[in-house]
Amino acid sequence: DGGITQSPKYLFRKEGQNVTLSCEQNLNHDAMYWYRQDPGQGLRLIYYSQIVNDFQKGDIAEGYSVSREKKESFPLTVTSAQKNPTAFYLCASSIRLANEQFFGPGTRLTVL
Amino acid sequence: GIQVEQSPPDLILQEGANSTLRCNFSDSVNNLQWFHQNPWGQLINLFYIPSGTKQNGRLSATTVATERYSLLYISSSQTTDSGVYFCAVPSGTYKYIFGTGTRLKVLA
């Protein structure tokens, strides 16, 4: 069954902690993306990756970091430098950049 | 950069009614996506439609790229159609710009 998985579904973090959100895809897509969604809002791009070992900042990259060591995996780390990390995080992939995107189920992060 | 506007922002329908959602964009695009975000947050792909018309069951979409808009038609709406509908268009070579969405509630 091809698709995108994200884990965990819910995540609670204490202030000052770094946390890592997982994103895995088995669609053989080259491009992957991380978005942030705040309540009642649209999606904003955090980071994107065109290919393995390459990634670029999106519109709101401050306080976040990523890696792309494998084609299938694009983990996102929310660092303590992110001032307001409570949000819904969505991972997506596409065959190439700016092609049809497919989304994972999301991770809801809450800072306590 | 390109601007994307969706209307109406909110819509309440009785089950069985039809509706039309609109997406306007400020610059020419070579593709456009419609998504449905269900109450659990999952974004479901509805259409990938650079131009013309596509149909999938009770849903259809039309994009008129030369006039910079796309329409999503929902016929015989069901309560499971409730959620938020987003359109998204590419900006440059790497990213999509999402509209602010239309929040649809279908009443039984």
Side-chain angles (χ1 to χ4, degrees):
Chain A
D1 226 359
I4 303 174
T5 57
Q6 292 186 241
S7 62
K9 194 170 183 177
Y10 297 95
L11 186 56
F12 298 91
R13 188 194 95 171
K14 292 182 181 178
E15 283 196 27
Q17 284 182 335
N18 292 355
V19 290
T20 297
L21 282 57
S22 168
C23 176
E24 304 275 332
Q25 54 98 0
N26 61 4
L27 300 169
N28 201 31
H29 286 172
D30 282 326
M32 297 187 75
Y33 314 79
W34 275 105
Y35 291 90
R36 170 182 171 137
Q37 186 179 31
D38 293 290
Q41 304 296 313
L43 279 67
R44 293 184 291 167
L45 183 65
I46 305 173
Y47 267 97
Y48 66 98
S49 168
Q50 183 174 1
I51 202 166
V52 175
N53 293 322
D54 177 76
F55 50 83
Q56 304 295 331
K57 293 181 179 180
D59 300 319
I60 56 165
E62 186 176 349
Y64 300 98
S65 66
V66 293
S67 62
R68 186 87 187 275
E69 297 175 5
K70 298 187 300 182
K71 187 174 185 176
E72 302 79 18
S73 179
F74 191 40
L76 173 75
T77 296
V78 184
T79 75
S80 56
Q82 170 49 237
K83 297 303 177 194
N84 185 20
T86 294
F88 188 50
Y89 291 88
L90 288 153
C91 177
S93 72
S94 60
I95 287 178
R96 288 176 298 278
L97 285 180
N99 271 231
E100 185 178 10
Q101 293 185 71
F102 297 86
F103 282 81
T107 292
R108 210 167 289 276
L109 173 63
T110 302
V111 173
L112 303 173
Chain B
I2 193 167
Q3 307 292 319
V4 182
E5 292 183 355
Q6 291 186 242
S7 60
D10 296 281
L11 188 57
I12 300 175
L13 298 174
Q14 206 64 40
E15 200 169 27
N18 302 330
S19 63
T20 302
L21 283 57
R22 187 176 180 103
C23 174
N24 291 335
F25 39 95
S26 60
D27 205 349
S28 58
V29 298
N30 56 15
N31 67 70
L32 180 145
Q33 284 193 257
W34 280 101
F35 297 93
H36 173 217
Q37 188 167 37
N38 64 25
W40 297 272
Q42 173 87 52
L43 272 168
I44 309 297
N45 288 44
L46 297 178
F47 295 101
Y48 179 67
I49 179 168
S51 63
T53 297
K54 287 188 176 181
Q55 178 141 15
N56 185 3
R58 295 181 296 104
L59 273 59
S60 65
T62 295
T63 295
V64 184
T66 53
E67 297 187 22
R68 301 179 184 172
Y69 72 89
S70 184
L71 301 174
L72 177 69
Y73 304 96
I74 305 175
S75 65
S76 304
S77 58
Q78 301 176 358
T79 55
T80 52
D81 295 331
S82 296
V84 184
Y85 290 80
F86 290 103
C87 66
V89 299
S91 175
T93 58
Y94 68 93
K95 72 176 185 181
Y96 273 81
I97 300 296
F98 283 75
T100 51
T102 291
R103 192 173 303 273
L104 174 64
K105 188 172 180 66
V106 181
L107 305 175

